[in-house]
């Protein structure tokens, strides 16, 4: 009779830990079964990350997000004002 004091919200907070543990165990199994292939995959991923302009891509995405933030907030503010106006118009 093990009663847990977990609420639905607290039960969901640890889902990422289970996912990370599953990924870790799968990776460990892959490395133990075929170490040469694992080293090759790691080498390929390292070269790919070195060759690709990852930093420039990330910085471009961040700049785009900040550039779009002002117009997006303006539109959202307008929508909220319109909703409040509609609420006041209803009898």
């Amino acid at each position: 009779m093990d009663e847990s004091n977990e609420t639905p919200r607290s039960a969901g907070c640890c889902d990422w830990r289970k996912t990370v543990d599953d990924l870790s165990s799968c990776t460990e199994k892959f490395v133990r079964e075929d170490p040469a292939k694992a080293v090759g995959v790691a080498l390929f991923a390292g070269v790919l990350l070195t060759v690709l302009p990852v930093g420039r891509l990330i910085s471009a995405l961040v700049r785009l997000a900040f550039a779009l933030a002002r117009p997006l907030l303006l539109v959202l503010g307008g929508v909220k004002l319109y909703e409040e106006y509609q609420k006041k118009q209803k009898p």
Side-chain angles (χ1 to χ4, degrees):
M1 287 192 214
D2 183 32
E3 288 187 32
S4 66
N5 294 335
E6 292 183 359
T7 62
R9 184 179 183 124
S10 67
C13 75
C14 296
D15 287 342
W16 64 271
R17 286 186 182 170
K18 184 180 181 317
T19 304
V20 169
D21 288 341
D22 290 345
L23 182 62
S24 176
S25 64
C26 287
T27 304
E28 185 176 347
K29 181 181 174 188
F30 175 69
V31 170
R32 290 189 188 278
E33 288 177 358
D34 197 359
K37 196 174 192 180
V39 169
V41 169
L43 181 67
F44 177 74
V47 169
L48 189 66
L49 289 174
T50 302
V51 171
L52 289 179
V54 175
R56 287 186 183 184
L57 291 174
I58 291 173
S59 67
L61 288 174
V62 168
R63 280 184 282 148
L64 179 64
F66 280 123
L68 294 177
R70 278 186 179 171
L72 179 66
L73 289 174
L74 182 65
V75 169
L76 289 175
V79 168
K80 287 295 181 183
L81 284 173
Y82 181 72
E83 287 175 358
E84 290 298 320
Y85 177 75
Q86 290 296 323
K87 285 181 187 177
K88 289 183 179 182
Q89 294 296 322
K90 291 182 181 180

